[in-house]
Amino acid sequence: MQDRPTAAEVLVTIGEYLDEEVLPAVEGALRYKTLVAANLIKVLERELAAGDGPQRRERGRLAALLGVTADGEDLAGDLLRLNAELQARLRAPQLPSREFLRAARDALEASALDNLAVNKPGYDRYDQAIEVD
Amino acid sequence: MARDLPALAASLDRYLTERWNRPVRAVDLVETSVGARRGNILFDAVDGNRRHELVLTIYPPAGAVIFGVEAETEALRLAEAAGAPVAHVFEVCADSGWFGEPFFISSRIPGDSLPRSILRRVAQDPTLGARVGAQLGTAFAAIHAVDGADAPQDLRRWPLDASPSAASLVLLEEQLDEMLQPAPGLALGLRWLRDNQPDLPARQRLVHGDVRNGNILVDGTGLTAILDWEGCHTGDPHEDLGWLCVRTWRFGGDALEVGGFSAREPMIEAYQAAGAHFDPHAYAWWKVFGTLRWGLGLAKQARQHLDGTYRYIAMAGSGRRVCELEYDLLRMLSKLL
């Protein structure tokens, strides 16, 4: 068992330090870089809180789309393999069916939304689909 | 690293005195965007009892540029002659002896370039945003009136009878190959782009390549200049329209397609009123292209940080922004696929 503070508690501590002590004291390029660092700390806090649920859901969607089984211990390895397989199919010279492209888009959007929830919550408030006829 | 401004002033004194054949002194030097590889130094040239407000632009090291100072300044002169709001070029020098790299000296134009300053101005003046949108349409029409055949040879990225969309896609395919991890969302965008290319433009034109909120100058009267011509090339004019309207350049003003300050219509209407041709499909295609291009660009920044080419925390952060562009791309594809 790791000693307290937990990883999440360490991140919150670093984030508070950057927000409350460093940011008020710096300006210019240093302030910009500190803002980036403080934002990345919050990204990590959310990533840690989300656990491996987003990756498990992504693996399930990709396996269903590609018609394969992937439920082993190596979640990260499965994700690399499945994403590479889907990318290869999308880049192949022969045209995938429109149904496949639409199903792939739906699956990829669901994963992009999970990533946004960690990296940029609220980004999906605007839908660029309305700009396209 | 900040530049040695007193040394730059001394070199400017010598250069301008020699070129203008009378005593000239460079004063009040201010470096904008400190640390950028391309140097932009604002200064006043004191010339007898006259003062000229100027900008010294120093090129980055040779490996980081696509073409030389002569080609860029020739494009600026062509755009100016066509009526686009751009800095006037006074001096061009390919000799690295003066400032370590080639440079040019141009007029200094008033206005804000920081996106958030521009959006603040627009928030205070309800007519300004649409005015700048229309002025951008007129400016694009002027730039795009320059025929590709009249542009300097170095600006031709591909033959004048090639398809700009097909040739541009090759560049994105290469960037996708270089990614550190598979990115099927971006690959899907590339697939759609490949299968749905716009009609070949009647003629290739001069294209700026990087007009966005961040590369324009705006003051209380409206648009005063289009900056940073280092990526200009010959191509399909719709590339410029689509790139300007990528969501990233709206800085939160999402519903206003043009830089977060204007709807699309004032820009397109002014563009057409000035005699330019607008094709809605080509516009949509190049906006999807621009969204993918910037997603790949952000991934490249993260890669350059991770492989040590350019360690910089903001570029690490860029990697976690790729999903924004991927999401925008996939939302547009929800209508297009």
Side-chain angles (χ1 to χ4, degrees), chain B residues 13-24:
Chain B
D13 290 349
R14 282 193 295 119
Y15 179 81
L16 291 173
T17 297
E18 188 180 308
R19 289 282 304 168
W20 296 358
N21 204 21
R22 56 182 185 268
V24 182

Side-chain angles (χ1 to χ4, degrees), chain B residues 107-130:
Chain B
S107 60
R108 189 160 89 235
I109 297 174
D112 286 322
S113 67
L114 290 178
R116 297 205 187 279
S117 307
I118 292 175
L119 292 185
R120 257 198 307 277
R121 275 190 184 278
V122 167
Q124 287 159 5
D125 175 355
T127 66
L128 183 61

Side-chain angles (χ1 to χ4, degrees), chain A residues 32-33 36-37 40 43 47 80 83-84 86-87 90-96 98 101-102 105 108-109 112-113 115-116 118-120 123-132, chain B residues 173 176-177 181-185 187-188 190-191 194-195 245 247 250 252 254-255 257 264 287 312-314 316-317 320 323-324 326-328 330-337:
Chain A
Y32 174 65
K33 288 190 270 190
V36 173
L40 285 174
V43 167
E47 186 166 325
L80 263 181
N83 275 304
L86 176 54
Q87 173 160 311
L90 292 172
R91 298 185 78 183
Q94 63 272 30
L95 190 64
R98 186 147 179 265
L101 292 179
R102 294 195 65 92
R105 196 215 65 85
L108 291 164
E109 181 180 300
L113 281 167
N115 282 352
L116 282 174
V118 166
N119 294 328
K120 186 82 172 177
Y123 191 82
D124 58 329
R125 70 183 177 271
Y126 182 74
D127 180 1
Q128 251 189 294
I130 63 162
E131 298 173 17
V132 182
Chain B
E173 295 269 5
L176 189 63
D177 290 337
Q181 65 200 96
L188 180 63
L190 203 50
R191 173 95 236 179
R194 206 185 329 154
D195 296 341
C245 294
R247 185 178 166 194
R250 303 177 198 176
D254 293 320
E257 269 182 67
R264 184 200 318 178
K287 185 159 65 174
Y312 178 34
I313 189 168
R320 292 302 187 101
C323 60
E324 298 174 19
E326 183 187 1
Y327 177 73
D328 293 334
L330 293 170
R331 288 310 305 153
M332 287 190 276
L333 291 184
S334 73
K335 287 276 196 66
L336 295 167
L337 274 178

Side-chain angles (χ1 to χ4, degrees), chain B residues 1-13 26-32 34 39-43 56 58 99:
Chain B
M1 196 181 66
R3 291 170 198 267
D4 181 353
L5 296 182
L8 289 183
S11 296
L12 277 169
D13 290 349
V27 299
D28 299 345
L29 280 74
V30 177
E31 183 177 12
T32 66
V34 175
N40 277 304
I41 293 105
L42 317 181
F43 72 99
L56 166 67
I58 305 175
F99 300 105

